[in-house]
Amino acid sequence: MNKVVSVRNLNILLKLCGTAILWLHVATAGAQEYPPTGERLRVLADNADFQIGYASRYNFRVQTYAELYEQIVKAEFNIVTPENSVKWENVHPLQTSYDFDDMDTLVQFAEENNMVLHGHPLLWYNQNPDWIISLPEEQVEAAMLDHIDTVVSRYAGKIKVWDVVNEALEDTSLGGGYRDNIWLQAMGESYVEKAFVRARAADPTASLIYNDYDVGWFTPKGEAMYNLVTDLVDAGVPLDGVGFQMHIGATFEEYEEFSSNMQRYADMGLDIYITEFDVKTLRPSEYPLQGVVYEEVIRRCLAQPRCKALQIWGIDDFNSWQPFFDPLPFDDDFNIKPAYYGMQRALLAKALHVENHSSPENIIVESGVVKPLASGGSLKLDQVNFEPGYQSLTLRYANSSRQTASVDIRLDSLDGPLLASVATPATASATLFSSVDSVIATTDGVHDVYVIFNTPVEGFSLDYVLLNTENRTPSETPIVDEDSPATSSSGMIGPITVGWLATMLWYRRRFLRLGSGQWSFRIIPGYQKFPV
Ligand code: G3I
């Protein structure tokens, strides 16, 4: 490994200093709010017959934050991948010796907490120890086979999924095709098949997948991967699925391509795993947008029966491999971000088997927000199951008109029994949302629900309707408008600018105020959210 101090390490050093200065500030500000309201992600995922997971930090049990870290991962996740523990440089540091300590610790932790284990990776071009890099080519295949035999058989029956080969393809900017690496140099392209065949022999019970990045939607590299996988399947290589790493950004919008791409692998009889999910963003004001991407990607994955799991690559921004892009659902101090609630919303909808809604006349739905075109516009929510005994209803809306509008909720038809009629005072902005609650007429059974907008023509948006089984006193939930001065972005703080440490204090204070004041999605047990 090249030991030159990388920009990333310098960044981390500065961030460490900055955070060390702020740690007392953050701690005294009561930064951690764990657990949040609502269901834990793994509870929802279990109900949806899905695996939601993370990548486990090397040596996580000896970190200063180990207690909170373990509390979170045990509560939230039912599948785990070692971020680095079973990579060659850590598990096979010398040709004649293996070091399984860190991986054994994770395996024990996962078994104690009923988590599925996902191994990563058996073969990669990166994080290989010097001995294998300098080994004469004619000895590499034997070393590879010994590694696969030793590592896979040690965890046979424990590690249920293996990234057998990781990132074998070149980035198309470099011409595409097989990426140059020690395995290709020693065995040619056949190393991929040899690795899968050997892994199958070492543990016939494990699902074996090919894993890569920038392949989750229709990209040139994604096409190269589809061709590679097709060739492997046609050759009878023991391949059970594919891994899309999905290191994406908050401006991601290729959802249709993502769904179609998953479908074509499903058509081949392969499972799909979202293996290293994270969503880069440049500033806290984009956190809600980041949350939308988390929610939609998971929603798409849940809609595809062959999509078996989604794992985030780490849990907190500080320990992320790309810490300056805040890509994860927990911030540097394990505060929960909108991305967490996006995950919760997607899983909740699936867990409660909320059917899709059909949108009758007079409304448009833009990026998940309903905009009634004219008074009397309505939204139909199909086959809502009232069995849990819903008691009250929360409606989140924005009303930029100067007058109070009202929304009626009726059962079975546009003029069916009235479930609730909710006044929606002006919020002064079409993007400044507020929530109002209403007790609802108790009912049961399965009904279509009509949300009818008795609203002024312009400027009314509905984000969601929630039913809950707990009585709630009607309340206004103040919403911080994403464009208000309090949340206007300071722009990207140059990660290594001289004044970086000084600005950290201001940045952190602003973020915490933003974090405490900013609207965040709350799910109370029994809530049923209707995606609009
Ligand atoms: O453990 C040593 C520590 O002893 C030493 O003091 C420190 C000095 O920098 O380095 C530590 O090792 C670091 C290791 O992570 C463990 O933290 C390496 O320098 C660092 O390069 C390594 O980065 C990992 C990266 O892969 C390597 O390319 C990231 O944590 C890991 O998240 C990332 O994960 C990869 C996937 O495996 C494959 N897909 C892409 C993904 C992101 O690059």
Side-chain angles (χ1 to χ4, degrees):
M1 278 293 292
N2 179 338
K3 291 300 181 192
V4 172
V5 176
S6 69
V7 170
R8 178 173 185 269
N9 292 338
L10 183 57
N11 290 341
I12 286 195
L13 181 64
L14 285 170
K15 192 160 191 172
L16 273 172
C17 298
T19 307
I21 291 168
L22 300 176
W23 183 255
L24 183 62
H25 166 80
V26 170
T28 51
Q32 283 76 11
E33 262 187 27
Y34 193 82
T37 53
E39 302 281 0
R40 300 286 56 79
L41 301 179
R42 73 177 292 175
V43 171
L44 297 171
D46 289 340
N47 289 344
D49 191 23
F50 185 68
Q51 290 173 334
I52 193 76
Y54 71 108
S56 177
R57 192 197 188 287
Y58 193 83
N59 271 338
F60 69 95
R61 306 208 86 161
V62 299
Q63 305 303 319
T64 53
Y65 46 79
E67 184 180 351
L68 178 58
Y69 183 97
E70 292 188 23
Q71 181 189 3
I72 292 172
V73 298
K74 288 193 294 192
E76 301 292 354
F77 304 115
N78 57 18
I79 184 171
V80 58
T81 295
E83 183 180 21
N84 291 294
S85 310
V86 81
K87 289 174 176 174
W88 280 62
E89 68 176 10
N90 291 317
V91 79
H92 198 174
L94 299 172
Q95 184 166 10
T96 54
S97 74
Y98 288 84
D99 178 357
F100 290 109
D101 288 353
D102 201 68
M103 191 59 198
D104 285 353
T105 300
L106 177 60
V107 169
Q108 181 183 350
F109 179 79
E111 290 184 327
E112 287 168 354
N113 295 289
N114 196 25
M115 292 178 184
V116 171
L117 281 153
H118 181 141
H120 166 85
L122 288 176
L123 294 189
W124 192 25
Y125 72 86
N126 195 359
Q127 291 184 268
N128 292 307
D130 292 344
W131 71 265
I132 187 72
I133 293 170
S134 55
L135 198 66
E137 279 187 6
E138 63 275 13
Q139 298 176 30
V140 170
E141 180 170 348
M144 174 192 85
L145 298 177
D146 174 64
H147 182 90
I148 293 173
D149 291 348
T150 307
V151 175
V152 176
S153 55
R154 180 183 184 89
Y155 299 116
K158 294 174 184 277
I159 291 182
K160 301 297 186 186
V161 187
W162 270 109
D163 295 348
V164 174
V165 173
N166 184 51
E167 301 175 20
L169 294 172
E170 197 54 89
D171 293 327
T172 44
S173 56
L174 302 173
Y178 278 83
R179 181 190 295 266
D180 182 32
N181 62 39
I182 53 174
W183 319 112
L184 185 74
Q185 289 160 18
M187 293 169 265
E189 297 175 3
S190 69
Y191 84 88
V192 175
E193 176 171 355
K194 287 174 178 173
F196 276 95
V197 168
R198 198 73 175 207
R200 175 69 94 223
D203 182 2
T205 68
S207 284
L208 307 180
I209 72 174
Y210 172 80
N211 189 48
D212 216 324
Y213 63 88
D214 289 352
V215 296
W217 58 104
F218 295 142
T219 62
K221 192 177 182 184
E223 292 314 296
M225 173 165 155
Y226 183 72
N227 296 333
L228 165 66
V229 169
T230 302
D231 292 346
L232 293 174
V233 168
D234 291 348
V237 171
L239 173 75
D240 303 301
V242 291
F244 301 163
Q245 294 181 14
M246 296 291 275
H247 296 295
I248 58 179
T251 55
F252 181 82
E253 54 189 12
E254 292 79 3
Y255 300 112
E256 289 307 321
E257 292 186 17
F258 172 53
S259 293
S260 302
N261 194 28
M262 285 194 286
Q263 187 55 51
R264 64 179 181 169
Y265 287 101
D267 292 344
M268 274 201 264
L270 298 175
D271 290 333
I272 299 103
Y273 294 80
I274 313 305
T275 52
E276 307 183 13
F277 188 54
D278 52 23
V279 180
K280 284 194 293 284
T281 181
L282 289 174
R283 56 185 66 83
S285 62
E286 279 188 348
Y287 285 359
L289 183 62
Q290 181 185 55
V292 169
V293 176
Y294 267 85
E295 179 173 4
E296 186 60 18
V297 166
I298 293 176
R299 202 177 67 76
R300 298 283 180 144
C301 187
L302 289 166
Q304 169 51 255
R306 296 303 295 254
C307 186
K308 295 302 179 187
L310 179 134
Q311 297 181 245
I312 54 179
W313 201 244
I315 60 170
D316 63 295
D317 291 336
F318 182 80
N319 285 299
S320 166
W321 68 287
Q322 44 181 4
F324 281 92
F325 292 103
D326 295 354
L328 290 164
F330 294 82
D331 71 12
D332 292 356
D333 308 303
F334 295 95
N335 291 304
I336 289 181
K337 295 158 65 180
Y340 175 90
Y341 297 114
M343 298 173 79
Q344 203 178 52
R345 283 199 294 270
L347 289 163
L348 176 72
K350 182 70 176 180
L352 294 178
H353 306 297
V354 173
E355 302 302 319
N356 286 334
H357 67 277
S358 51
S359 307
E361 68 287 352
N362 293 334
I363 65 167
I364 51 175
V365 180
E366 272 178 9
S367 65
V369 175
V370 172
K371 301 179 189 302
L373 286 178
S375 182
S378 66
L379 181 72
K380 178 187 172 201
L381 304 159
D382 299 329
Q383 297 299 292
V384 175
N385 180 348
F386 282 85
E387 276 171 11
Y390 289 103
Q391 303 294 319
S392 68
L393 167 149
T394 297
L395 183 138
R396 184 172 179 250
Y397 72 95
N399 172 2
S400 64
S401 71
R402 299 183 182 283
Q403 59 194 82
T404 291
S406 73
V407 175
D408 292 344
I409 317 283
R410 293 185 177 274
L411 298 179
D412 302 323
S413 70
L414 287 170
D415 52 11
L418 187 66
L419 194 65
S421 184
V422 192
T424 50
T427 60
S429 153
T431 59
L432 186 62
F433 284 89
S434 187
S435 298
V436 289
D437 298 331
S438 168
V439 177
I440 59 174
T442 53
T443 185
D444 61 14
V446 178
H447 298 272
D448 290 338
V449 176
Y450 285 79
V451 182
I452 303 158
F453 305 96
N454 308 312
T455 65
V457 173
E458 291 302 320
F460 189 94
S461 301
L462 173 72
D463 182 21
Y464 62 69
V465 174
L466 284 175
L467 296 172
N468 82 76
T469 55
E470 296 175 359
N471 286 326
R472 288 185 75 209
T473 49
S475 64
E476 282 286 316
T477 306
I479 312 290
V480 174
D481 179 3
E482 289 155 9
D483 301 324
S484 70
T487 62
S488 61
S489 163
S490 64
M492 182 65 189
I493 296 175
I496 55 175
T497 55
V498 174
W500 186 70
L501 296 185
T503 51
M504 273 299 286
L505 192 58
W506 170 79
Y507 172 89
R508 177 64 56 200
R509 188 173 59 251
R510 181 173 66 80
F511 171 68
L512 276 182
R513 187 178 69 249
L514 178 70
S516 54
Q518 179 176 354
W519 177 84
S520 60
F521 189 87
R522 297 278 185 239
I523 296 180
I524 310 292
Y527 262 73
Q528 180 160 338
K529 176 184 185 278
F530 303 111
V532 289

